[in-house]
């Protein structure tokens, strides 16, 4: 087991990529705090981890709410005595060209990704610095490194998370904290399924064409990245034994983006 007795918190872990990583961390022996908007939305993931013989707790946490983030992290530390791994994963998407984008939609996307990542980082670092170290992880995207049309707030926010990750790597080093960002290509989750018809409408093409000509066009093999692929990388980054791997963006995208 690569994460035995480590204490991990993952935001937005009620479904999708966060859930897959939470279950993988559970299988690798970590105690997993499953954070999502409500206790109910976190509960299925907790049950899946426990059924597989792991240890998990549900945490209600809107990552844009300072008090909920601080209190949620406190609850984990109180329950298990520390925090070794924190993954800022919660995210949303919004499809619109810049000239039609409402300020409220821009702000919502920026807030969930960037304010959320900052608040989770701040709360986690307070404990990691006290205990002598830890692993900060961010769920970036290929959109942390390049742009696509119709996704300006998402692209801007994901680039911002890359900057935060690098700043934390610099500040965290003397406290034993590593900081890395996972940058997946397209993964079939509710976040992606929702945008396929939205992009088809906006671009005037079929849903099949959105998949083949927009989402997977630049991959080497026309394949979606899987939940398992992303979870494996998240385990590897959390388990990495030294500060040799810090401040890095690791792309898992079937070659869509090569750096
Ligand atoms: P998803 O929609 O399946 O899951 C997102 C989760 O985040 C949900 O459980 C939701 O309740 C939660 N969430 C949303 N707003 C929240 C908030 N304010 N506070 C707490 N939780 C909140 O999406 P997903 O595809 O699993 O995406 C997870 C992360 O991976 C996101 O950061 C996303 O940008 C990133 N990502 C996804 C893909 C992809 O292709 N699916 C690719 C690259 C990066």
């Amino acid at each position: 087991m690569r994460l035995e007795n480590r204490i991990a918190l993952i935001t937005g872990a009620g479904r999708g990529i966060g859930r897959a990583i939470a279950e993988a961390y559970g299988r690798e022996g970590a105690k997993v705090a499953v954070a999502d908007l409500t206790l109910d939305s976190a509960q299925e993931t907790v049950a899946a981890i426990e059924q597989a013989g792991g240890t998990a707790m549900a945490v209600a946490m809107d990552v844009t709410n300072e008090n909920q983030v601080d209190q949620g992290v406190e609850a984990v530390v109180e329950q298990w005595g520390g925090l070794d791994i924190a993954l800022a994963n919660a995210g949303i998407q919004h499809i619109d060209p810049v000239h039609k984008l409402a300020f409220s939609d821009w702000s919502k996307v920026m807030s969930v990704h960037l304010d959320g990542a900052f608040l989770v980082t701040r709360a986690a670092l307070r404990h990691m610095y006290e205990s002598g170290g830890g692993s900060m992880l961010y769920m970036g995207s290929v959109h942390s490194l390049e742009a696509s049309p119709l996704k300006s707030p998402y692209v801007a926010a994901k680039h911002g998370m890359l900057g935060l990750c690098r700043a934390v790597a610099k500040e965290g080093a003397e406290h034993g904290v590593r900081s890395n960002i996972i940058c997946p290509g397209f993964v079939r989750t509710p976040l992606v399924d929702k945008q396929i018809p939205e992009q088809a409408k906006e671009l005037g093409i079929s849903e099949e064409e959105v998949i083949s000509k927009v989402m997977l066009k630049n991959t080497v093999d026309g394949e979606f990245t899987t939940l398992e692929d992303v979870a494996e990388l998240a385990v590897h980054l959390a388990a990495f034994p030294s500060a040799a791997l810090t401040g890095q963006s690791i792309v898992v995208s079937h070659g869509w983006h090569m750096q």
Side-chain angles (χ1 to χ4, degrees):
M1 288 201 192
R2 288 176 284 177
L3 299 174
E4 197 148 23
N5 292 326
R6 307 280 285 282
I7 299 162
L9 169 86
I10 305 172
T11 67
R15 71 178 195 200
I17 291 174
R19 175 176 174 161
I21 295 172
E23 290 189 43
Y25 280 11
R27 284 194 297 275
E28 294 289 343
K31 295 176 181 154
V32 190
V34 177
D36 214 300
L37 284 167
T38 62
L39 284 178
D40 268 1
S41 53
Q43 213 55 60
E44 264 188 40
T45 308
V46 169
I49 293 170
E50 287 175 346
Q51 263 163 29
T55 305
M57 69 184 276
V59 178
M61 183 192 286
D62 178 340
V63 297
T64 66
N65 182 307
E66 186 175 10
N67 288 335
Q68 285 184 26
V69 173
D70 286 347
Q71 283 164 15
V73 170
E74 278 306 318
V76 176
V77 172
E78 222 165 82
Q79 176 83 9
W80 288 328
L83 184 63
D84 304 306
I85 302 159
L87 168 56
N89 167 78
I92 57 171
Q93 180 58 278
H94 184 87
I95 302 297
D96 251 331
V98 178
H99 69 290
K100 289 188 191 164
L101 184 62
F103 182 47
S104 57
D105 290 326
W106 165 270
S107 301
K108 181 89 205 286
V109 176
M110 295 299 280
S111 178
V112 173
H113 293 273
L114 266 187
D115 297 346
F118 160 67
L119 290 172
V120 170
T121 301
R122 190 183 63 177
L125 288 185
R126 285 171 178 159
H127 296 287
M128 289 176 180
Y129 284 6
E130 254 177 43
S131 65
S135 172
M136 274 308 308
L137 291 170
Y138 300 88
M139 190 53 64
S141 162
V142 165
H143 289 116
S144 297
L145 302 156
E146 63 176 77
S148 294
L150 306 178
K151 297 183 176 176
S152 58
Y154 187 85
V155 170
K158 290 300 193 192
H159 275 66
M161 286 173 76
L162 173 64
L164 176 64
C165 166
R166 288 172 169 169
V168 171
K170 298 239 171 185
E171 285 187 20
E174 66 181 290
H175 304 278
V177 171
R178 296 182 302 110
S179 170
N180 292 291
I181 183 164
I182 300 165
C183 298
F186 284 99
V187 182
R188 284 308 283 266
T189 66
L191 179 138
V192 162
D193 287 340
K194 180 170 175 287
Q195 68 181 270
I196 293 172
E198 290 172 355
Q199 288 215 54
K201 190 167 165 230
E202 197 63 48
L203 298 170
I205 58 177
S206 71
E207 293 189 16
E208 290 67 34
E209 285 173 317
V210 170
I211 292 173
S212 63
K213 296 192 174 151
V214 178
M215 293 182 164
L216 304 180
K217 179 171 168 246
N218 293 318
T219 61
V220 294
D221 53 9
E223 297 281 342
F224 277 100
T225 300
T226 65
L227 292 170
E228 292 73 23
D229 295 326
V230 182
E232 173 55 31
L233 177 58
V235 169
H236 177 71
L237 286 175
F240 197 82
S242 80
L245 191 58
T246 193
Q248 300 307 305
S249 49
I250 313 288
V251 180
V252 54
S253 72
H254 283 260
W256 165 16
H257 182 89
M258 299 188 190
Q259 48 177 3

